[in-house]
Amino acid sequence: MSDEQEQESQELIPTVQDTIIFNGKPLVVVRLPDGRPGVVLRWICENLHIQPQAQTDRIKRTEVIASDLVYVQVQTEGGFQKMPTLVLDSVPYWLATIDTRRMERDDPRRLEILDYQRRAVAALFAWASTPRAIAAPTSLVPAEPITQPARPAPDASLPEWHEYYLRMAAVIEWQLEVENWRSSVEDRVEGIEAIIPDILDRLPPPTLTPEHQQQVQLFVHQLHEASGKPHGTIYNDLKTAFAVAKYDQIPEAEWNKVANWFKVQLQRTKKK
């Protein structure tokens, strides 16, 4: 059996399954038994209008992330199903390699993919870092509480005292198990909280939203109608003004400046 076949034959049971909403659509996320977060490919592919099987095959052919493709038992309305899932660490690479260059610039699917490439990873890491999404290893989950036994009477028989101390030992063992479990969870939460600032620092600033990109296209058309300048010239002037290679790389925080730039250009046109 090849490594790929062996990987597909294994069905992992997640310790956590959750659904988050991104851009008004669901994403199913899981916590794998080894603690790593993952994203079920079916829903993210459906949201982006791309074929899940084609993406699964593409991930298998991409050596750097192929080992992070696993198969997970996912609970659905129709029952449990085995579904391909990508470990969260590899999701940014996978999303970044989805090619949008052959799509029309104003294609809603293209804008959706670009938005996922820019902002979805931050939303997924935010879920993964929340305490409710963190599950301790199964071996550390404490068993059901054990009731402390009643102390025997002073004149109780030796077997009764023996039974009492055995049950007390079980109670103390359970209490230690609970304490160890709590300590493990607290350590894991603290560790993730410590790396959140570093994750956020590495994320690029969010760029223009699809709505603002569409607004830019409208502004460009209005300026073209008013000035007679070719659309390409206007886009080039805009990119030069904001020092970007593509207009959709302008930071969202600069939107007010973008709108004002077009306002100034239109005012200058009217004065001529």
Side-chain angles (χ1 to χ4, degrees):
M1 181 182 294
S2 66
D3 291 342
E4 182 179 312
Q5 291 173 328
E6 183 178 357
Q7 189 176 7
E8 187 168 348
S9 66
Q10 295 177 348
E11 183 174 344
L12 303 178
I13 300 177
T15 58
V16 175
Q17 178 179 327
D18 204 353
T19 301
I20 65 173
I21 303 299
F22 180 76
N23 279 3
K25 299 176 182 177
L27 294 176
V28 175
V29 288
V30 295
R31 177 76 59 176
L32 301 176
D34 61 6
R36 293 181 297 168
V39 182
V40 182
L41 290 176
R42 170 185 161 182
W43 282 271
I44 194 169
C45 288
E46 288 180 354
N47 294 350
L48 296 178
H49 306 287
I50 54 181
Q51 291 295 325
Q53 186 58 54
Q55 294 302 312
T56 300
D57 293 340
R58 190 165 69 84
I59 292 170
K60 290 178 180 178
R61 295 193 301 268
T62 307
E63 185 176 2
V64 70
I65 61 174
S67 61
D68 279 345
L69 179 69
V70 297
Y71 289 81
V72 173
Q73 186 182 93
V74 179
Q75 186 172 10
T76 69
E77 293 181 357
F80 287 101
Q81 297 184 35
K82 183 172 72 172
M83 294 186 174
T85 298
L86 189 59
V87 174
L88 183 53
D89 285 345
S90 291
V91 170
Y93 184 95
W94 167 61
L95 284 174
T97 57
I98 298 177
D99 190 6
T100 60
R101 291 174 296 179
R102 287 177 288 183
M103 297 181 180
E104 296 293 334
R105 295 191 67 84
D106 58 351
D107 188 331
R109 294 179 305 162
R110 173 181 175 275
L111 298 178
E112 185 92 45
I113 292 172
L114 290 173
D115 202 34
Y116 267 72
Q117 290 173 333
R118 293 178 183 125
R119 300 194 301 114
V121 172
L124 292 168
F125 270 104
W127 170 81
S129 64
T130 55
R132 64 181 174 81
I134 300 170
T138 307
S139 59
L140 292 179
V141 177
E144 291 297 319
I146 300 177
T147 303
Q148 184 170 329
R151 187 177 181 85
D155 58 349
S157 66
L158 187 60
E160 289 177 310
W161 279 104
H162 179 258
E163 177 67 18
Y164 167 75
Y165 283 117
L166 286 177
R167 294 179 62 186
M168 279 300 299
V171 170
I172 294 172
E173 185 176 351
W174 177 81
Q175 290 173 340
L176 287 172
E177 189 178 356
V178 170
E179 186 61 31
N180 290 336
W181 175 77
R182 286 175 178 169
S183 177
S184 175
V185 171
E186 289 171 357
D187 289 344
R188 290 164 66 86
V189 171
E190 290 175 0
I192 291 177
E193 288 177 344
I195 66 173
I196 288 176
D198 184 53
I199 293 173
L200 294 178
D201 287 342
R202 295 183 184 183
L203 292 175
T207 53
L208 293 180
T209 64
E211 292 77 14
H212 283 161
Q213 290 182 42
Q214 292 175 346
Q215 189 66 44
V216 165
Q217 295 167 15
L218 177 60
F219 284 154
V220 169
H221 183 71
Q222 290 175 344
L223 187 54
H224 164 74
E225 293 290 324
S227 66
K229 285 185 178 181
H231 290 77
T233 300
I234 298 172
Y235 279 116
N236 286 335
D237 291 343
L238 175 64
K239 291 184 290 185
T240 300
F242 289 89
V244 293
K246 299 179 180 179
Y247 83 91
D248 54 16
Q249 295 174 348
I250 298 174
E252 175 63 22
E254 300 281 296
W255 170 246
N256 288 338
K257 294 181 181 179
V258 172
N260 187 63
W261 185 86
F262 279 105
K263 181 179 179 181
V264 171
Q265 302 306 310
L266 288 168
Q267 289 174 343
R268 289 176 180 174
T269 299
K270 292 178 182 178
K271 292 180 180 179
K272 293 181 179 180

